[in-house]
Amino acid sequence: MKLEMALAIALVLAVASWTQDFFPKEAHNLNWGKFSGFWYIIAIATDTKGFLPARDKRKLGASVVKVQRTGQLRVVIAFSRPQGCQSREVILKKDRKKPVFRNPLSTGASPAVKGVKGFHVLSTDYTHGLVYLRLGRAGNNYKSLLLLNRQNISSFLSLREFLDTCHTLQLTKQAAILPKDDSCAHTILP
């Protein structure tokens, strides 16, 4: 019995170690000046139930990221939802210890985006990027992965990176590459 328990503990530790090793890391040396600006949201993976509309009603999303002042980001996101095209704006503040931005719940941000627990840029070459977004509302936590691109198309390599990261985050079943209809995205052009 003790040998079985020791093997079970060793297996749990090995799996936990493997998961941490392969969990996406945040981009520590990000140039926010270069990352700022207009982005198309080419693909999304989320565990938020009912977030995406039916396949025939999906459109490209968009985001505008802007450095407000040191340690503060203004993020606007437009997305095709079951209720139609919606956009939300939130001001995020940099965490003092980690390369992540979050919103303080007392800022009066839109209720739809209150509780941004993390806005992580996982990787970027400043023409495309992967953003890991963690939200918390009413005691529930949600995670989303966004594939951003400066153009309304994406390369095979960036799609591959998106799908690999979806697999790591266990979001593969909820992943969607969005059609090229950019009418919703253009509602927030700067």
Side-chain angles (χ1 to χ4, degrees):
M1 185 69 140
K2 288 183 181 180
L3 178 61
E4 291 171 345
M5 182 66 97
L7 287 173
I9 291 171
L11 180 61
V12 167
L13 291 173
V15 169
S17 164
W18 177 81
T19 304
Q20 275 190 334
D21 289 344
F22 289 98
F23 191 81
K25 305 285 191 254
E26 294 93 357
H28 290 279
N29 57 350
L30 185 68
N31 179 333
W32 284 101
K34 287 175 70 174
F35 189 80
S36 293
F38 180 83
W39 293 92
Y40 286 100
I41 300 173
I42 302 292
I44 183 171
T46 185
D47 63 359
T48 308
K49 303 239 186 284
F51 182 81
L52 289 171
R55 288 185 191 273
D56 62 333
K57 298 198 187 288
R58 292 180 186 167
K59 300 175 181 183
L60 287 177
S63 181
V64 176
V65 177
K66 184 176 181 190
V67 176
Q68 290 288 98
R69 58 183 149 211
T70 303
Q72 196 175 68
L73 286 180
R74 177 179 161 263
V75 179
V76 180
I77 293 181
F79 234 109
S80 177
R81 302 283 311 276
Q83 304 84 2
C85 184
Q86 297 179 343
S87 64
R88 299 285 186 253
E89 178 178 333
V90 66
I91 302 295
L92 304 174
K93 292 186 178 181
K94 181 150 183 8
D95 187 287
R96 292 183 183 152
K97 297 177 183 174
K98 299 178 182 179
V100 62
F101 284 82
R102 23 180 136 254
N103 73 325
L105 296 177
S106 62
T107 62
S110 166
V113 292
K114 239 179 195 184
V116 176
K117 293 183 170 191
F119 181 91
H120 306 261
V121 177
L122 300 179
S123 69
T124 188
D125 66 358
Y126 305 104
T127 61
H128 81 275
L130 281 179
V131 171
Y132 179 50
L133 190 61
R134 293 180 307 117
L135 301 173
R137 275 189 304 212
N140 295 315
N141 292 308
Y142 305 101
K143 58 186 177 182
S144 298
L145 181 68
L146 307 175
L147 173 59
L148 307 179
N149 203 307
R150 298 288 187 185
Q151 304 295 319
N152 65 358
I153 58 171
S154 189
S155 70
F156 173 77
L157 291 176
S158 63
L159 284 173
R160 178 81 260 157
E161 181 183 13
F162 172 77
L163 293 172
D164 289 345
T165 307
C166 285
H167 179 73
T168 302
L169 295 172
Q170 300 177 345
L171 291 172
T172 308
K173 291 181 182 175
Q174 300 93 346
I177 297 170
L178 301 171
K180 289 186 182 178
D181 180 343
D182 56 8
S183 58
C184 186
H186 285 186
T187 62
I188 62 165
L189 275 172

